[in-house]
Amino acid sequence: MSGSGAVPAQAEGQGGVEDPGDQGGHRPADGPHGLPVWQSSQPGSIYDYIRVASFSLGPDGRIDQWSERAAQMLGIPARYAVGKDPVDAFVPPELRETGRRKVSEILDGREWTGLVPYRREPGDDTGGLAEIYLMPSETESGERAAVCLVVDVRALRGIETDLAASQAVFGQSPMGFTLFGTDLKLLRVNERFATVFGGPAAKYRGGTPHDFLPRPEAERMTAALRRVLDTGEPVTEMQLVGAVPGEEDRRRWSVSLYRLHGASGRPIGVAALAADVTGRRRAEREAANARRNLALLNEAGARIGNSLDLETTARTLLDVAVPQFCDLASVDLFQGLLSGDEAPSGMSDGSAELRRVAFSSAVSDAPLATSAGGAPEGGGGPVAVGAVHRYPFNSPGAAALRTGQVQIIPGRENDDRQELGAVVHSTLAVPMVARDTVVGLVQFSRAKGSEPFGERDTALAVELAARAAVCIDNARLYRREHERALILQRSLLPPGDPEAAGLDIACRYLPGTTATEVGGDWFDVIELPGHRTALVVGDVMGRGLRAAVAMGELRTAVRTLALLDLEPAEVLSALDEIARGLGGGGDGRTPVRSPRGGPGAAAPASERRASARTADLSEVYLATCVYAVYDPVTRRCTFANAGHLPPVLVEEGEDALLLDVPPGMPLGVGGEPFEETEVDLPDGSLLALYTDGLVESRDHPLEEGLRAFREALSGDGRPLEDACDHVLSALDTSHGEDDIALLMARVHGLPKEAVGDWNLAPEARSVARARELARDQLTDWGLQELVDTTELLVSELVTNALRHGHGEIRLRLLLDRTLVCEVWDADLAQPRRRRARDTDEGGRGLQLVGLLSSGWGSRRTPRGKTVWFELALPDGESEAVDPTEALLSLF
């Protein structure tokens, strides 16, 4: 150990080592202060450090004794020093006169101390500087002599510097600095330590850690000191907690311990360096809380809002908050908002009904009552998930809902409800605000043993509630719009099992996006007069709610045109005009913006926005459609196509074929006529109409999809519903790129025995003949209940054909789910129903037809017109209209 001001063992009161030369085994005697005496010290005493040497001068002023230490320190052996004049031997020539005078004074009995330069040996020009203490002495004969003590100034100054540095470090250190002896008692403390714990530094000498630390911490400190003293291994940054006199808050110190050694290398104590880390610990805790809060916000942003379900969103919020942020939490939402009301009564004052949609707890499996709302109205106790309740007007929960501000509610030790006093010590009642509207309340509670909520926690709770509120409000809006969209979609599509004469129908609709479940594809089955059926499949370009609205308008237009009993090509032509009018703003023309200012000139912003809106509308109302009319009597189907994919026909035992139907132009384009194609459909054949989403996607081209579709239909002997499911499973229908509509019909036609068809001469007796034929046919069918009504109405229609028409008359009766009667003639003029005056002798025939039938009408034919009426078949429960009463009601 270097010259650092270490105190020798005897000076510090430490026990020495027994003299190895003492063979008697006797313990040395102790001095008056309990210190061992007459005991040799190990090497490394203070004298070794300060390098003290001695020599003596005889009465003649010459050196008569020269110590070995002098020879070592000065580098001059005794043979060169003894007998010589020290002034001549060691002092430079220019100082010798002064040196001789000082030696004479010493020999005269005066002491002298001073700095003397010296040469290490004769002929050596490099010298040293020594501090010499000359003390007069006497010889045995009484002559004057001198004893000299020599100290190397450089070594002495080094020791002084080391002592000053050690004292400065020990006294001026901003950290607590203590020295413990080998008995683990304090030897010294610095002023910083004394300032922290109070009193002068000397007060703590001889003390132990129990004098300034709590007992558990003092025992830890003592154990650490003993371990360092025994092993020599240092202890760094041991954390100790204690109280400082005059302060209520506990403080935390970081203590480092290391063992001290004497010059001989033996342990002489333990040094302790303590730093107050209370502020750093607080900062670390705040930083950790900030990191936790940031992590919670990141997790909340990643997890909350992934679902558009209200309950799932609320549960996700609690999964994020419990137990990372709080110990238990709950979410209440306004019942009216969950039911679809925009602003239920009581929202503004917080008294509206709420429903608990989620609860989570890290301390109990059962719901706990919290202090946010007091006892729920209608009874006390905790609120279960799914229960509807109200917060009392004066409760913190109602205040949070009313003001939109977070309420901090401390727990109540003496609360009658045991779970409050025993578990919860603080609660945050946070209103859930989205778009300036309070949608509910979330409560975060912490149990005893957890830290109370702070300002950062309150800000985090508000942020979590706000994020969840926006997601919940989005989910609520989505649920509302989704329900409306579904209502719209279901109202625009035909029922699940449409019926048609001579056809078995199966249909499927798959939206391209499950988020809205609505789209622009549609299909329809329309009953036409004469038990004919119109089959329609269409596809509006685009998808979503706007496409569904466009689809609804076009579907309504198709139904209206179909009921006019127009030919398929005429229906598509009229529908094309309607689509152009819808897309062009209602005037039937697609607007074209003319450039202003010449080529390349930019249009004004308002005109560009208007053009963009017009372009969007035009795109929405651009659609494809295939329209087919099937006659179950002739087994013939007439097709017209507006840019749609061709129908597929599968005859029994044959492969599926794409029907050669001219594609035509899409609806809304205009300018091109539509063509019709007639195809005979044998009984047992299968007709399939579809949209492009079924056979085309990014993963496979249209040709590949059509081939797979035909393969899925070919040789199919499955029931019709199973055939639909097989097609959807065989093809890629989960791509989600476009809507899918599939309409399949199996043909069986009307049997011959269900059809009565006769030609009548254009003469008066044909009226009676028509009544007779109708009566006989209905009798054969077992419909005697309808004979009188049918005879009367057939008589009216045949009479009108004779009176207002010309050419041959044709009578046809069709029996399926209803009874249809048709009368054909060669005149193109359509019958018109009018109200006859009381004085008129005629003009009541069509009124009578309207009264007695379930429906009637007329349609053009290639050779004239057809007038028809329809009667419901008797079901044994409802009574048929009495023809006599109907006749009397006309007058």
Side-chain angles (χ1 to χ4, degrees), residues 605-630:
S606 58
E607 184 177 345
R608 291 198 301 269
R609 289 193 295 268
S611 300
R613 289 193 296 268
T614 302
D616 290 343
L617 290 174
S618 301
E619 182 181 357
V620 167
Y621 288 103
L622 194 64
T624 64
C625 179
V626 61
Y627 184 88
V629 175
Y630 173 69

Side-chain angles (χ1 to χ4, degrees), residues 483-494:
E483 290 175 353
R484 293 178 180 178
L486 285 181
I487 293 173
L488 172 64
Q489 185 75 39
R490 290 164 185 165
S491 66
L492 297 178
L493 294 175

Side-chain angles (χ1 to χ4, degrees), residues 521-542:
D521 289 13
W522 90 92
F523 61 90
D524 208 348
V525 179
I526 307 171
E527 293 186 58
L528 300 178
H531 284 317
R532 294 171 303 132
T533 302
L535 303 176
V536 188
V537 168
D539 183 2
V540 176
M541 292 188 181

Side-chain angles (χ1 to χ4, degrees), residues 8-171:
Q10 289 83 348
E12 295 295 330
Q14 305 303 314
V17 179
E18 185 176 0
D19 187 357
D22 185 1
Q23 304 297 326
H26 300 288
R27 176 180 177 85
D30 290 339
H33 299 289
L35 298 177
V37 296
W38 297 110
Q39 183 175 350
S40 62
S41 299
Q42 293 183 359
S45 70
I46 188 65
Y47 302 106
D48 292 328
Y49 282 98
I50 61 176
R51 302 186 69 182
V52 178
S54 65
F55 64 91
S56 63
L57 300 179
D60 57 358
R62 295 181 178 274
I63 300 172
D64 61 357
Q65 289 185 353
W66 188 258
S67 67
E68 293 183 0
R69 177 66 65 86
Q72 295 173 0
M73 186 177 73
L74 301 177
I76 300 175
R79 64 179 178 271
Y80 294 114
V82 175
K84 290 186 177 181
D85 185 349
V87 175
D88 294 335
F90 309 122
V91 178
E94 64 273 12
L95 298 177
R96 289 176 181 174
E97 182 179 353
T98 303
R100 289 190 182 94
R101 186 170 59 251
K102 293 297 181 185
V103 170
S104 299
E105 292 176 356
I106 293 170
L107 293 177
D108 290 339
R110 296 179 61 183
E111 293 183 359
W112 181 81
T113 301
L115 297 177
V116 176
Y118 65 90
R119 293 189 303 241
R120 295 183 61 85
E121 59 185 8
D124 186 4
D125 294 334
T126 63
L129 186 64
E131 186 174 61
I132 299 180
Y133 178 33
L134 297 177
M135 298 174 289
S137 64
E138 290 183 358
T139 63
E140 293 179 0
S141 62
E143 294 180 306
R144 290 287 183 177
V147 177
C148 302
L149 295 179
V150 182
V151 179
D152 190 338
V153 172
R154 291 185 179 87
L156 188 62
R157 295 294 181 265
I159 293 174
E160 291 176 349
T161 302
D162 291 343
L163 288 174
S166 299
Q167 182 62 29
V169 170
F170 192 87

Side-chain angles (χ1 to χ4, degrees), residues 143-218:
E143 294 180 306
R144 290 287 183 177
V147 177
C148 302
L149 295 179
V150 182
V151 179
D152 190 338
V153 172
R154 291 185 179 87
L156 188 62
R157 295 294 181 265
I159 293 174
E160 291 176 349
T161 302
D162 291 343
L163 288 174
S166 299
Q167 182 62 29
V169 170
F170 192 87
Q172 301 174 20
S173 173
M175 296 179 288
F177 203 174
T178 63
L179 293 177
F180 289 88
T182 54
D183 56 357
L184 303 186
K185 292 183 179 181
L186 283 168
L187 297 176
R188 187 177 180 185
V189 300
N190 67 347
E191 291 298 328
R192 175 59 180 168
F193 181 92
T195 301
V196 171
F197 289 97
K203 168 185 173 182
Y204 297 94
R205 291 177 183 173
T208 65
H210 290 81
D211 295 327
F212 55 88
L213 288 176
R215 181 175 179 179
E217 299 293 80

